[in-house]
Amino acid sequence: MPSREEAKSVVRRLHALSGSPEIVRKAAARELARWDPLDTNELLHHILLLARGGWEPATCVLGSVVAALGLEAASLPYADSMRRMAEVQSLTSVADLFETGPAQKEFDEGAAARADAKAFSQSLGHVKQQARLTRDPDVLARLAAVSDPSVVRNALLNPRLTEPLVVRMAARRPARPEPLVEIWKATRWSSRHAVRRALAFNPYLPPEVGVKIVPLLNANDLAELAGDASVHPSLREQAARLLSKG
């Protein structure tokens, strides 16, 4: 089993990397894949504790580490069994990271399609290109409200997009889950506290994404989340457990 010091060594290697969050995430996936599932769970447990304890290198890389569990799952062939093993190991904080299931609230897909069709008469290809390239903030704001995840994906790449608008996108209710997941995948934005918070509190966010955001929140956010009946129960329980561990 990896020790706390070995976990620190892994964190230091990840923290020393320069480049985009995607690079760190892929490196984290490679680090996790080096171990067998039981050891990977222990490693995750140590990293979570180091981050909750305020060790800066761990707090800096934790987002990339937990994101790797979802976005780099193909690099972890045993990912499907890690939750069951974490439960056997009594590593609840690790098991929490593998929660699955429907969002707390479900969106009316038919209503979404009708709203998009009413708002934009152009082809989907044209709308996607406009979302990525428009210089008009009003047009960008309207496009960011579209429910089609491919349009949102392109809007998130627009250099004129601002954090307040992304926060509004992340907090939008009702919302299809796919655009919210696109925001989480966009590390340029999901690394920002306000965006993470908006996503975590959105009851339309799939819990398998939410549980990877909750450990990145601060104590005030966790306390609020633990008492918010509108969010998925798994997120409330996870927040309460993290608070109880200090």
Side-chain angles (χ1 to χ4, degrees):
M1 294 288 181
S3 66
R4 181 183 174 91
E5 287 306 311
E6 287 173 311
K8 281 188 170 183
S9 295
V10 170
V11 168
R12 290 190 186 100
R13 287 197 293 273
L14 295 175
H15 191 244
L17 290 174
S18 59
S20 69
E22 288 85 354
I23 291 174
V24 181
R25 187 184 71 223
K26 291 182 181 297
R30 290 194 295 271
E31 290 283 358
L32 296 175
R34 290 176 49 229
W35 308 82
D36 66 40
L38 295 174
D39 288 348
T40 299
N41 284 340
E42 283 286 346
L43 182 64
L44 287 168
H45 175 65
H46 286 308
I47 294 174
L48 286 165
L49 288 178
L50 289 167
R52 295 306 302 169
W55 188 45
E56 184 178 359
T59 60
C60 288
V61 305
L62 182 61
S64 296
V65 172
V66 295
L69 299 176
L71 300 180
E72 307 295 336
S75 302
L76 303 170
Y78 45 76
D80 290 344
S81 62
M82 288 178 67
R83 178 176 184 173
R84 177 176 53 80
M85 293 183 180
E87 290 172 343
V88 171
Q89 294 170 276
S90 298
L91 300 177
T92 309
S93 60
V94 176
D96 284 340
L97 299 174
F98 298 96
E99 177 69 36
T100 59
Q104 177 75 350
K105 292 189 177 180
E106 295 185 5
F107 189 52
D108 184 337
E109 292 289 339
R114 290 191 296 272
D116 286 356
K118 184 177 180 180
F120 300 99
S121 57
Q122 307 101 321
S123 68
L124 178 59
H126 177 82
V127 174
K128 287 163 59 176
Q129 183 180 42
Q130 193 177 27
R132 187 165 185 166
L133 300 176
T134 185
R135 296 171 178 267
D136 187 326
D138 293 330
V139 172
L140 182 57
R142 286 194 299 118
L143 289 165
V146 172
S147 293
D148 188 293
S150 64
V151 175
V152 171
R153 188 182 312 126
N154 279 274
L156 291 166
L157 295 171
N158 192 309
R160 289 165 181 79
L161 191 65
T162 64
E163 181 175 335
L165 180 52
V166 179
V167 171
R168 291 203 299 273
M169 292 164 64
R172 185 184 178 199
R173 306 176 190 184
R176 287 180 65 187
E178 294 88 354
L180 300 177
V181 174
E182 289 297 332
I183 297 171
W184 174 64
K185 289 180 178 179
T187 51
R188 171 191 174 195
W189 299 112
S190 62
S191 60
R192 305 189 185 201
H193 173 260
V195 176
R196 285 174 173 169
R197 176 186 162 83
L199 286 172
F201 279 86
N202 194 320
Y204 292 88
L205 182 73
E208 59 262 33
V209 173
V211 293
K212 295 175 178 63
I213 297 174
V214 172
L216 312 177
L217 301 178
N218 61 38
N220 290 335
D221 294 333
L222 292 175
E224 186 176 347
L225 191 67
D228 190 336
S230 71
V231 302
H232 197 279
S234 63
L235 272 63
R236 296 201 305 271
E237 294 163 5
Q238 181 185 23
R241 279 192 284 268
L242 289 171
L243 280 173
S244 69
K245 295 175 182 177

